[in-house]
Amino acid sequence: MIRVLVADDQALLRGSLRLLVDAEPGLVAVGEAADGTEAVRLTAETRPDVVLMDVRMPGLDGIGATRLICAPPQTGSDGGPRVLILTMFDLDEYVYGALRAGASGFLLKDAPPAELLAAIRVVAAGEALIAPAVTRRLIAEFARRPGPARRDSAGLDGVTDRERDVLELVARGLTNTEIARRLFVGLSTVKTHVSHLLTKFGARDRAQLVIVAYETGLVTPGIADPDRRAPDAGPRPPGRAVS
């Protein structure tokens, strides 16, 4: 059973999200929070697997709450709850800050209910960043603004060439299956590389790997993936050999 905490300052939306979660087999809502402070408190009390977090709330906002919730736990090895950011706009500048604070992904509030429920399951499993196409646009837009981005290529010391390839494609929003096809390797090989990257960077999930790729300059903000082909573009010519 996936335990979900709903944090939003709009009572009607909170209630609707709770009803939606409780009606879905395998999910259960364990509480509602009207602001970030209450979200942090209830997270400690109810120990949810996923927190649905609004960004703009009175007092402690969603970014501050996410930072506190996603801080390394003092005990235990489960990494704590995952935070799924809910936002009204796909280019909300606050979302980039939330991802840096430790959120596992984000979803637009106007997403269909089925998409939200699927997103909760994905985030709970720690498998993928939600809405990768939108996420790429958002990070590309705000990573180039003055702020915390450090462009420190030395941060990639100890990462193999193949791991760099995988990290770049993760940041471009490709799934494991797409990465395997792009690099002409098996799916299990990609999963192994992703696991190694998570360990090397102390990252909670793929969302944090995206941040690493942008902040080290491995992926240049605003530059599209030149190898990304349309679904009907046909097979890509073989690339370099894979050891």
Side-chain angles (χ1 to χ4, degrees), residues 148-188:
R150 47 188 168 80
R151 302 292 186 274
D152 181 11
S153 61
L156 294 175
D157 290 348
V159 176
T160 68
D161 289 343
R162 180 52 84 199
E163 287 170 348
R164 287 184 182 227
D165 292 340
V166 172
L167 178 59
E168 178 178 356
L169 295 177
V170 167
R172 299 292 186 190
L174 274 67
T175 66
N176 284 347
T177 299
E178 290 172 330
I179 293 172
R181 291 172 181 167
R182 175 72 64 85
L183 299 180
F184 300 97
V185 298
L187 182 59
S188 62

Side-chain angles (χ1 to χ4, degrees), residues 69-198:
I69 290 171
C70 294
Q74 298 300 315
T75 59
S77 59
D78 61 356
R82 309 283 179 175
V83 175
L84 175 59
I85 297 293
L86 298 178
T87 180
M88 289 295 295
F89 309 104
D90 63 353
L91 288 180
D92 188 332
E93 63 183 291
Y94 294 104
V95 177
Y96 178 72
L99 291 175
R100 294 191 75 257
S104 294
F106 75 95
L107 196 68
L108 300 183
K109 285 186 176 180
D110 61 359
E115 187 175 340
L116 172 61
L117 295 172
I120 292 172
R121 296 184 185 279
V122 170
V123 168
E127 292 179 353
L129 190 65
I130 304 304
V134 177
T135 302
R136 288 197 304 275
R137 291 206 313 274
L138 182 142
I139 294 179
E141 171 67 22
F142 294 101
R144 62 168 163 256
R145 294 189 175 193
R150 47 188 168 80
R151 302 292 186 274
D152 181 11
S153 61
L156 294 175
D157 290 348
V159 176
T160 68
D161 289 343
R162 180 52 84 199
E163 287 170 348
R164 287 184 182 227
D165 292 340
V166 172
L167 178 59
E168 178 178 356
L169 295 177
V170 167
R172 299 292 186 190
L174 274 67
T175 66
N176 284 347
T177 299
E178 290 172 330
I179 293 172
R181 291 172 181 167
R182 175 72 64 85
L183 299 180
F184 300 97
V185 298
L187 182 59
S188 62
T189 298
V190 174
K191 290 181 178 179
T192 297
H193 285 314
V194 171
S195 178
H196 288 169
L197 288 166
L198 291 171

Side-chain angles (χ1 to χ4, degrees), residues 1-4 20-29 49-50 117 120-121 124:
M1 185 70 71
I2 297 174
R3 298 164 56 83
V4 181
L20 179 66
V21 168
D22 281 335
E24 176 71 6
L27 304 184
V28 59
D49 299 300
V50 176
L117 295 172
I120 292 172
R121 296 184 185 279

